[in-house]
Amino acid sequence: TIPPLVPSPPKGERVRVRGSLILSGPSHPARNMAVDEALLRCAQEEGIPRLIVRFYGWDRPSASIGYFQSYRAAQAACAGEAAPRFIVRRATGGGMVRHGADWTYSLIYPKNALAGEANDYQFVHSLIAQALKETLGWNDMAALPEELGHRGRIAQCFAQPSAFDLMRGTRKIAGAAQKRSKGWMLHQGTVDLGGDTEAIAGTGEAFARILEEHASAEISQRELTPGEEAQAKSLMESRYATEAW
């Protein structure tokens, strides 16, 4: 039995940070991943505690795979689908995710800016649940208890729910993967809205506002800086768009 989700404020000390919201729109899969890593690297180089929230989409049928997954296995899993998918490797772990009508987002922040490493995953999903309840009226969501989560390597992200994934009945609706690097976190998440693409904008707006309220951050919208854009372009060309990656 999965208990009802009860959002609670994070425990432990948090750093007061300034935040930014970047609305990227649909992009090439390789660029999507390159921008996320570029934002992480630039934030690390700058060294100023801040929270970056980014929403983005996919300009073609796509699938992202975890850092440790097999590209050939992903190709085999997608073989036979009506439309071929562009497969891109993430910098984060986790299983393969098919992208198209889902809402994808990323968070970049110092590791103690939200709730501490151990609680961030659950905390972010609790805020997503609040946003979904507000925008879509969903009241039947629950966080998967740790003891019921899939253990070991995950092949298909939405077919193998992990601890604290967001569930609606027996269906997983939100999952994420994280990368910890030099005291910073990259959190890449996706939410299955059941094909309701018109709900993406409203859900994103609600999530950003709720996150601002709960994460001790003041979030304002901005574009990529020239430095972030240059870093993303370099990473896309040297890594994410290459066969070797």
Side-chain angles (χ1 to χ4, degrees), residues 100 124 154:
V124 171
I154 296 174

mmCIF file of all heavy atoms in Angstrom, residues 100 124 154:
data_model
loop_
_atom_site.group_PDB
_atom_site.id
_atom_site.type_symbol
_atom_site.label_atom_id
_atom_site.label_comp_id
_atom_site.label_asym_id
_atom_site.label_seq_id
_atom_site.Cartn_x
_atom_site.Cartn_y
_atom_site.Cartn_z
ATOM 1 N N GLY A 100 8.649 13.465 -25.563
ATOM 2 C CA GLY A 100 7.774 13.960 -26.622
ATOM 3 C C GLY A 100 6.755 14.899 -26.019
ATOM 4 O O GLY A 100 6.870 16.119 -26.102
ATOM 5 N N VAL A 124 11.607 17.800 -4.019
ATOM 6 C CA VAL A 124 11.217 18.345 -5.326
ATOM 7 C C VAL A 124 9.923 17.697 -5.819
ATOM 8 O O VAL A 124 9.026 18.373 -6.329
ATOM 9 C CB VAL A 124 12.351 18.159 -6.360
ATOM 10 C CG1 VAL A 124 11.870 18.513 -7.758
ATOM 11 C CG2 VAL A 124 13.552 19.019 -5.985
ATOM 12 N N ILE A 154 18.426 0.526 -13.423
ATOM 13 C CA ILE A 154 17.111 0.721 -14.026
ATOM 14 C C ILE A 154 17.264 0.803 -15.532
ATOM 15 O O ILE A 154 18.065 1.589 -16.049
ATOM 16 C CB ILE A 154 16.445 2.001 -13.491
ATOM 17 C CG1 ILE A 154 16.180 1.871 -11.990
ATOM 18 C CG2 ILE A 154 15.158 2.303 -14.237
ATOM 19 C CD1 ILE A 154 15.667 3.133 -11.356
#
